[in-house]
Amino acid sequence: MSNQAGIASYIDHTLLKPEASEADVLKVCAEAAEYNFKSVCVNPIWVKTVKKALKGSGVLTCAVVGFPLGATPSDVKAFEARGAVLDGADEIDMVINIASARANDKGALVEDITAVAEAVHTGEAILKVIIETSLLSDEQKVIACEAAVEAGADFVKTSTGFNGGGATAEDVALMRKTVGPELGVKASGGVRSLADAQAMIAAGATRIGASSGIAIVKGEQGSSDY
């Protein structure tokens, strides 16, 4: 399903800029409903707005947690995730403790992700785990993905889009190889064209995070970093 029509069902239509207004958020929701994107992904303060705007559309509501640095305590991430799910989020994209990954401390990563996974799954939502590939070695990427599997996450995700670098087909392939066929793999950061999205899907991605979703489905070139 990598043609232009089918690609929309892979896309989390994303607006994470701190200066985004309610009008900006509502515009993204309208676009997602029009193009039948998979979800709208926003910061937690907008979850109620998005859930209401998307009602009846079939488009999911997604919120980020511990974003974009991942450097808040695990119990705070869990609290934030629980609140977002209560507000109506169907999916949560959390950022791991990147320092733990860079220290090759899988145990700490498992604890970090498990705390959030329990909060998210109690609310019957889906957890995606952002490992921030641009800051990790291949060995560290593998450790982070293994920790996500052990902690019961539903997806691993490449990037926040806020720390330089972005998704590469090589990273997606490595993540897919590490997590196996059962978990989802989300490619985000710098996916700006249909060709980019198709390359990620060919490498093993089952979801695409992008703010250039409309350009992607139209076969045009987007300009955003995310």
Side-chain angles (χ1 to χ4, degrees):
M1 191 190 282
S2 56
N3 61 354
Q4 279 164 255
I7 214 98
S9 66
Y10 283 83
I11 293 174
D12 289 347
H13 197 35
T14 303
L15 179 61
L16 295 169
K17 293 177 179 177
E19 71 273 21
S21 67
E22 183 178 24
D24 296 331
V25 172
L26 292 173
K27 179 173 181 281
V28 164
C29 291
E31 291 168 351
E34 178 183 352
Y35 287 92
N36 294 312
F37 291 134
K38 183 70 175 182
S39 82
V40 168
C41 187
V42 291
N43 284 297
I45 58 166
W46 298 116
V47 169
K48 287 182 179 178
T49 303
V50 170
K51 190 71 171 183
K52 183 179 178 183
L54 293 175
K55 188 175 180 181
S57 69
V59 180
L60 300 176
T61 300
C62 174
V64 293
V65 161
F67 193 88
L69 303 179
T72 41
S74 303
D75 58 348
V76 176
K77 292 181 193 177
F79 180 85
E80 187 179 19
R82 196 173 295 114
V85 172
L86 286 171
D87 281 348
D90 303 293
E91 301 186 337
I92 297 293
D93 290 18
M94 72 166 285
V95 187
I96 61 166
N97 180 331
I98 295 163
S100 295
R102 287 173 64 100
N104 302 308
D105 190 344
K106 189 198 288 188
L109 288 175
V110 171
E111 287 182 20
D112 186 45
I113 300 165
T114 298
V116 182
E118 289 175 351
V120 171
H121 292 151
T122 297
E124 299 184 348
I126 294 290
L127 178 63
K128 308 192 202 90
V129 175
I130 306 170
I131 67 169
E132 202 65 285
T133 49
S134 63
L135 300 179
L136 304 181
S137 68
D138 283 357
E139 180 187 5
Q140 291 160 353
K141 292 167 198 172
V142 168
I143 287 169
C145 287
E146 288 174 346
V149 172
E150 287 184 33
D154 303 289
F155 274 77
V156 288
K157 174 178 168 183
T158 58
S159 321
T160 61
F162 280 70
N163 282 303
T168 67
E170 292 76 16
D171 282 340
V172 170
L174 177 65
M175 292 164 72
R176 169 56 67 204
K177 180 182 176 185
T178 304
V179 302
E182 301 302 319
L183 253 68
V185 176
K186 178 174 171 179
S188 62
V191 182
R192 302 188 188 98
S193 68
L194 180 62
D196 289 342
Q198 288 170 329
M200 298 304 167
I201 292 165
T206 50
R207 195 77 67 89
I208 303 291
S211 50
S212 299
I214 294 172
I216 291 169
V217 297
K218 286 185 171 181
E220 298 169 356
Q221 180 72 33
S223 58
S224 174
D225 287 339
Y226 190 97

